[in-house]
Amino acid sequence: MSTDADPDGRILLLRHGETEWSRTGKHTGRTDVPLTDEGRAAARRVRDALALVRHDAPPARVLCSPRTRAGDTAELAGLRVDAVDDRLVEWDYGDNEGWTTPQIRESLPGWTIWDGPWPGGETPSDVAARADAVLADARALLGGGDVVLVGHGHFSRVLTARWIGLPASGGVHFRMDPAGVSVLGFERGVPRLDHVNQRPTPAEDQ
């Protein structure tokens, strides 16, 4: 049911900057891989993308994944992290941790994270339940302004899908590059996507 009384804030999703594993396509869940030099530079540049989409007032809350690559990205982007939230970790890839999709498909033809299987890792229903809990808590804070969630690619795509009522596998429809920003907002109480994968181009950094 829609309403005219939308909250003041929106949910901003920030993916960490590039790591060596993300650059080479390795699935990076539990492994704590640091940012590359380019990842650090992009995290600094993402201040511009955040400035374009966020409200002028300071965020009501900034929550961050416990992984170093997320915390460093938040710091370089000029955000003050209020709390680390273990629920913001990346999809647990289980036995596929550290492997690229072509490598995984050598034993699991046609495999994608969205379609599985997920040996030793989280299923889409597992990840959806985690995302729903994160979104419910973030939504409760929006009366005080924007809530920023600093995390990872696949999980941010699931958050985006779940915000608009899609299953976790609906995340396949949304791109989330390293140091990308997406914004989850409202249309008269109905969840909508305000921005997806916003990033300043290198030319804007010259």
Side-chain angles (χ1 to χ4, degrees):
M1 181 176 180
S2 65
T3 175
D4 289 339
D6 288 339
D8 292 334
R10 299 167 300 164
I11 299 173
L12 279 62
L13 308 178
L14 170 59
R15 183 185 174 186
H16 65 77
E18 178 195 82
T19 69
E20 184 62 27
W21 280 26
S22 69
R23 186 184 66 80
T24 56
K26 293 181 179 180
H27 287 79
T28 319
R30 302 180 301 271
T31 309
D32 209 356
V33 183
L35 299 176
T36 62
D37 289 344
E38 171 51 33
R40 297 180 68 83
R44 294 186 186 95
R45 291 197 303 269
V46 83
R47 292 176 185 235
D48 297 332
L50 287 168
L52 288 172
V53 300
R54 56 172 285 189
H55 291 150
D56 292 336
R61 193 83 166 155
V62 177
L63 302 174
C64 185
S65 160
R67 302 293 179 249
T68 301
R69 57 191 181 273
D72 288 349
T73 296
E75 180 181 358
L76 291 165
L79 296 169
R80 181 181 62 83
V81 174
D82 296 298
V84 170
D85 191 329
D86 289 339
R87 299 173 301 175
L88 290 174
V89 294
E90 180 59 290
W91 195 314
D92 186 340
Y93 301 120
D95 296 349
N96 293 324
E97 178 81 3
W99 295 94
T100 66
T101 295
Q103 289 172 329
I104 297 168
R105 287 179 172 178
E106 290 178 8
S107 58
L108 298 172
W111 180 90
T112 74
I113 189 59
W114 312 108
D115 300 315
W118 307 272
E122 287 182 297
T123 66
S125 60
D126 294 332
V127 182
R130 185 154 56 90
D132 289 349
V134 168
L135 290 172
D137 288 349
R139 189 166 182 167
L141 299 170
L142 295 180
D146 292 336
V147 173
V148 183
L149 306 178
V150 187
H152 306 272
H154 278 133
F155 189 60
S156 292
R157 294 165 73 182
V158 173
L159 287 168
T160 304
R162 295 302 297 153
W163 182 251
I164 58 173
L166 296 178
S169 59
V172 71
H173 298 292
F174 309 108
R175 183 164 177 156
M176 193 69 168
D177 289 322
V181 177
S182 292
V183 181
L184 314 181
F186 296 93
E187 174 73 25
R188 299 182 183 275
V190 177
R192 74 179 181 195
L193 304 183
D194 288 356
H195 304 277
V196 175
N197 197 40
Q198 296 295 297
R199 298 180 71 225
T201 64
E204 292 173 349
D205 195 43
Q206 301 301 314

